[in-house]
């Protein structure tokens, strides 16, 4: 009887040691469940409709424009290093970039006036006087040409009255002086020699040295700054009859 009670105590102790851990494990499994991530929904792609090839007429070239998907994602290319970028200039407010410049292709005002003078039914002397009067209004780049036109129309008998004041003044524009001096050297001695003496007498005249040199060549001797001697030499030159050809 004593042995039986001791066996019961031993088996009860064994059951207690083994059962308590088993009961703890079962309780954990029953009352504690780890949170699981939601299961993703099944993906069922929508089948794209089959492409149908459409025949085009032989005379029309096929359309080579690529067809992009419904919502295309176009990558932005990154600029290569070392390649200059485009620079956009600021456009003033109200300006139209595509508006062409309006260029006036017609003649300038002075050109219209010159055309009217040349077409007028008047003597050449009147035209020459009108062109000389127009010189203050002529642009600098056209002074020489206008002065040449005026001198070409000027008669020798009108030279002293019209052209002489222009060529003797040191304040006349150099382009006009150059054209008139070249024309003077083509005039007869009766016009050229007295005018050259007056130019040579003016120290601040741009063509005074040239007038002195031409006087020396035409008269045949150099009188320096002895102006009475120059006047006498010019009178003798003009009074001497020209040799017969």
């Amino acid at each position: 009887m004593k042995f039986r009670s001791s066996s019961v105590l031993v088996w009860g102790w064994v059951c207690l040691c083994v059962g308590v851990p088993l009961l703890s494990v079962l309780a954990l499994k029953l009352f504690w469940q780890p949170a699981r991530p939601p299961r993703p929904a099944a993906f069922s792609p929508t089948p794209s409709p089959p492409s149908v090839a459409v025949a085009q007429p032989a005379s029309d070239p096929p359309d080579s424009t690529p067809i992009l998907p419904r919502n295309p994602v176009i990558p932005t290319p990154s600029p290569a290093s070392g390649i200059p970028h485009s620079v956009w200039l600021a456009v003033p407010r109200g300006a139209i970039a595509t508006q062409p410049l309006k260029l006036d292709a017609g003649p300038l005002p002075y050109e219209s006036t010159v055309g009217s003078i040349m077409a007028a039914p008047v003597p050449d002397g009147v035209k020459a006087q009108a062109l000389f009067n127009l010189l203050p209004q002529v642009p600098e780049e056209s002074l020489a040409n206008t002065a040449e036109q005026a001198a070409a129309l000027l008669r020798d008998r009108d030279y002293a009255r019209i052209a002489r004041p222009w060529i003797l003044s040191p304040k006349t524009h150099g382009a006009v002086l150059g054209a008139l001096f070249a024309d003077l050297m083509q005039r007869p001695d009766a016009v050229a020699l007295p005018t050259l003496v007056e130019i040579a007498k003016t120290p601040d005249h741009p063509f005074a040295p040239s007038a002195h040199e031409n006087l020396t060549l035409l008269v045949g001797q150099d009188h320096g700054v002895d102006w009475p001697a120059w006047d006498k030499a010019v009178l003798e030159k003009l009074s001497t009859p020209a040799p017969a050809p």
Side-chain angles (χ1 to χ4, degrees), residues 26-54:
L26 291 175
L28 289 174
K29 288 185 177 181
L30 290 175
F31 298 102
W32 182 79
Q33 295 290 338
R36 296 181 179 179
R39 185 178 181 181
F43 175 74
S44 58
T46 304
S48 59
S51 60
V52 179
V54 180

Side-chain angles (χ1 to χ4, degrees), residues 95-179:
I96 301 176
T98 58
Q99 184 178 3
L101 295 176
K102 294 181 180 180
L103 300 178
D104 188 5
L108 297 176
Y110 91 92
E111 293 177 337
S112 300
T113 305
V114 170
S116 300
I117 293 174
M118 299 301 292
V122 294
D124 289 347
V126 177
K127 294 180 182 180
Q129 179 69 72
L131 290 177
F132 274 102
N133 295 338
L134 185 65
L135 286 177
Q137 305 175 24
V138 175
E140 185 175 5
E141 62 273 11
S142 301
L143 279 174
N145 185 38
T146 306
E148 290 175 359
Q149 286 182 287
L153 295 173
L154 189 60
R155 297 172 297 183
D156 292 334
R157 62 184 180 183
D158 298 327
Y159 190 92
R161 178 175 58 88
I162 297 176
R164 189 180 174 93
W166 286 88
I167 196 171
L168 292 183
S169 174
K171 297 181 179 179
T172 301
H173 195 281
V176 177
L177 286 177

